[in-house]
Amino acid sequence: MHPKRFDVRNPFAHTGDAFQQGVDMNMIELVNDDALEADLCENITDRRMPDFFLYTGDEGAKNWLRLDRAREFPVARRLTVLLENSMPALLPFLPRAPTLVSIGVGSGEKERIVLEELVAACSPVYYPVDVNARMVQVALDAVRHLSIEKTGIVGRLSDLDRVVHNWRPPVVLCLLGNTFSNFEPDDILSWVSRSIGADGLFMFDCSLLGPGGVTESARERIERTYRSRRNVRFNLNPLIRRGLRPGDVRFDLKLVPAMTSAGMVYRTSKNIYVCKNCAVQFREKSVSLQAGEVIRLGFTYKYTAEQVDTLVKRAGLTVLALHRSDDDENILLLARKSTQEDS
């Protein structure tokens, strides 16, 4: 931890939260495994399981890395290729000596690509952010060969308001690997606009519906990807490692319409249907599940490129660069806050 970079008192002065330092001296923990375990227990009691719980703990980290490499789930891999191809065109827009903050960093592979390009011309500061301390460590290890200042942050998006004021401007805030699509669009864009500062930038990517919108073939392609055996197992794993037997439940996923400020879009609807009476064992207690009950999971939005552009503009951001994959199924954008000249 860099004592001049983080004020460890102000973020917690009004909350009484414990500020914990991780095993790596360059890691800040805003949430720990015990708190996440208690939070998951409460959510399952209410028959909910938001998607960030899929990534927690040692098993969550291992399961995500396996899914990320799986041939039948190519979402993140295709976005990595798009980023690699787009970097030469993006570099002129990136500020000198930026603070690169990446939320939901995962393995840190995409961020490594960006930082290797930046470090040749400047000295960036790097904050990989993830709910899983193991993933943050993996992301830090991915750029260990780079002589840059780097501090991992273990936390959820809701935790980051405690430290956002410590990020040295200009900030380049990243949501890569389709992470943007796992949030309510207007909420996440509003938070980004508040957090990047007047001279900051927002870099994000997402997997699109495709040029034809929600055609039958597009729906089949998306549902087939998200219903793949590995992805179903990934969604069930937090409960399986707490005693659930896969045969006691049924996983269901559909692509359904959803209204946003950009109009009607689509998103995945994920549910776990309980088929037999069973129980999930947490550290402090067991949660019983009854046949016929439903556990509601998170979602992934699917937009057209035009809808993404509309959402960004409505959030008071101006697109500086936009890159699409050759098949028009993936998009990468770099945006800044809009000014009066943009009106």
Side-chain angles (χ1 to χ4, degrees), residues 80-111:
T80 300
V81 172
L82 177 59
L83 176 64
E84 287 178 319
N85 293 339
S86 303
M87 276 310 302
L90 290 174
L91 272 176
F93 294 101
L94 297 177
R96 294 188 60 82
T99 294
L100 189 79
V101 179
S102 186
I103 298 171
V105 70
S107 66
E109 177 66 15
K110 298 174 183 65
E111 293 73 14

Side-chain angles (χ1 to χ4, degrees), residues 8-247:
V8 300
R9 294 166 300 176
N10 288 349
F12 306 96
H14 304 295
T15 64
D17 290 314
F19 183 89
Q20 298 193 22
Q21 185 170 310
V23 293
D24 192 304
M25 288 300 291
N26 293 322
M27 193 181 299
I28 307 300
E29 286 192 353
L30 302 178
V31 67
N32 60 31
D33 285 348
D34 289 341
L36 289 169
E37 179 78 358
D39 195 8
L40 177 57
C41 180
E42 181 179 342
N43 272 272
I44 294 301
T45 300
D46 293 336
R47 305 307 188 251
R48 300 191 307 265
M49 190 168 66
D51 271 1
F52 70 82
F53 288 117
L54 306 180
Y55 303 89
T56 58
D58 287 334
E59 285 300 313
K62 293 174 185 176
N63 292 332
W64 166 244
L65 291 174
R66 290 191 198 103
L67 182 64
D68 192 29
R69 293 191 293 262
R71 179 174 297 179
E72 63 264 44
F73 195 79
V75 177
R77 186 167 62 253
R78 289 174 179 170
L79 290 168
T80 300
V81 172
L82 177 59
L83 176 64
E84 287 178 319
N85 293 339
S86 303
M87 276 310 302
L90 290 174
L91 272 176
F93 294 101
L94 297 177
R96 294 188 60 82
T99 294
L100 189 79
V101 179
S102 186
I103 298 171
V105 70
S107 66
E109 177 66 15
K110 298 174 183 65
E111 293 73 14
R112 179 191 61 77
I113 293 168
V114 177
L115 288 165
E116 284 183 341
E117 295 286 350
L118 284 174
V119 78
C122 63
S123 298
V125 176
Y126 179 37
Y127 294 114
V129 181
D130 203 283
V131 72
N132 192 320
R134 292 80 170 167
M135 296 307 306
V136 174
Q137 189 62 62
V138 169
L140 288 170
D141 289 343
V143 294
R144 192 172 293 278
H145 62 294
L146 299 179
S147 297
I148 59 174
E149 182 181 343
K150 42 190 176 287
T151 304
I153 301 177
V154 183
R156 299 155 295 193
L157 183 73
S158 58
D159 300 312
L160 294 184
D161 285 338
R162 305 173 184 178
V163 295
V164 66
H165 65 279
N166 287 293
W167 296 337
R168 184 193 72 191
V171 173
V172 178
L173 184 61
C174 299
L175 285 173
L176 299 173
N178 208 41
T179 302
F180 170 76
S181 299
N182 298 133
F183 292 97
E184 293 291 348
D186 297 316
D187 292 345
I188 186 63
L189 286 169
S190 176
W191 185 87
V192 166
S193 185
R194 295 195 308 271
S195 302
I196 60 174
D199 54 355
L201 298 177
F202 178 40
M203 183 188 300
F204 72 104
D205 58 23
C206 59
S207 174
L208 299 172
L209 283 169
V214 185
T215 62
E216 191 61 32
S217 62
R219 183 188 297 275
E220 289 177 359
R221 169 179 55 83
I222 293 167
E223 291 183 347
R224 181 172 62 251
T225 297
Y226 284 91
R227 286 175 181 163
S228 68
R229 180 182 60 84
R230 285 186 182 272
N231 191 48
V232 171
R233 183 78 179 192
F234 179 66
N235 280 266
L236 294 179
N237 264 319
L239 302 183
I240 290 173
R241 67 177 187 257
R242 291 172 175 85
L244 182 77
R245 293 175 299 182

